[in-house]
Amino acid sequence: FREVETDSKRGGIYDRNGSPLAISLEADSFAVDPLLAREDKDLHNKLKEISSILNIEEEKLVESVNKQSRFVWIKRQLEDEEAEKIREIRLRGALFFEESKRVYPKGQFLANVLGFVGQDNKGLEGIEYYYNNVLKGDPGKILVEEDSSGRSINSSIYQIVPPQEGLDIYLTIDETIQYATEKRLLEAVEELDAEKAVAMVYDLQNGEFLAMASYPTYDPN
């Protein structure tokens, strides 16, 4: 069997009171079974439509459906509208798998602390990177049967091992104090015409950080 990994749902990141700072939403990922796709009588026109919807070169789609395989990813983490349109085309051999897409609902808020994930849903900066092993969960698997030469067996059946969700993380950050800190920091930057600035608020009794702000910042989305 050849293993193809599918993403697990990444755990959420919340402030101390449970306000969501980073969450994972369900998104469809689109793959094809090239053997079945080539049996579609209207394949050429359907690939042309898919090319337009997903903004993928038609030549690349043709190359994908001509592969001697039973499973090829076309695009992962589709937008809802994209997934709906692709389903309506009814391409023979089309496969859809539910994966997770990382979203930062408050945009630039606490961005330099939260960090972000890459296309493979792995943490690359900040909390997302440092606690990646806690947040990521265990990926699922699609098992495709092949012969001894690595060619997919036409009559094979896919075996799917579902993913295990990651764990949530609650920070000591207080959303209200963080908003106030970021607002005051931006005012200070404008007043002093500063290029960079940092502000932190912590509880003297136990050392917990209630706010951590820095400038410049970015939107991790």
Side-chain angles (χ1 to χ4, degrees), residues 43-57:
L43 179 60
H44 175 72
N45 289 329
K46 289 181 178 180
L47 291 183
K48 197 167 188 175
E49 283 188 71
I50 293 170
S51 170
S52 176
I53 294 168
L54 299 182
N55 195 26
I56 297 175
E57 292 179 10

Side-chain angles (χ1 to χ4, degrees), residues 76-106:
R76 303 176 77 165
Q77 299 179 5
L78 302 178
E79 299 295 334
D80 290 344
E81 187 178 353
E82 291 177 330
E84 185 177 345
K85 288 181 178 179
I86 297 297
R87 289 179 190 276
E88 288 174 355
I89 292 173
R90 297 186 178 279
L91 172 69
R92 185 171 172 79
L95 303 167
F96 293 90
F97 297 92
E98 200 173 73
E99 296 192 291
S100 65
K101 180 178 181 181
R102 201 61 161 173
V103 175
Y104 302 88
K106 296 178 173 65

